């Protein structure tokens, strides 16, 4: 062991960290691609502009 510097990280621990980083990156990439490729299940409501914020409060129907 050297006199100066940080202690060395064991090989197994380094491999675990690399695997965790690779899985995290792969998961983030997969989530991004899935978000881009999936289309919404329903079209926007006809009485609202696309991208407009919706209300959390229930609205009465005026049928």
């Amino acid at each position: 062991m050297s006199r100066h510097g940080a202690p060395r990280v064991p090989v197994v621990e380094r491999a675990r960290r690399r695997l965790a980083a690779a899985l995290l990156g792969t998961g983030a990439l997969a989530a991004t691609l899935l978000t881009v490729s999936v289309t919404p299940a329903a079209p926007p409501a006809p009485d609202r502009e696309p991208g407009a914020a919706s209300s959390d409060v229930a609205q009465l129907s005026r049928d």
Side-chain angles (χ1 to χ4, degrees), residues 48 55-61:
R48 295 190 183 149
S55 173
D56 292 336
V57 181
Q59 298 175 352
L60 296 174
S61 175

Side-chain angles (χ1 to χ4, degrees), residues 6-28:
R8 292 181 47 95
V9 178
V11 174
V12 174
E13 184 65 26
R14 204 172 353 166
R16 285 182 184 164
R17 288 180 184 178
R18 283 186 179 179
L19 177 61
L23 290 174
L24 182 67
T26 302

Side-chain angles (χ1 to χ4, degrees), residues 33-53:
L33 293 175
L34 186 63
T35 301
V36 168
S37 65
V38 173
T39 56
D47 60 341
R48 295 190 183 149
E49 296 179 21

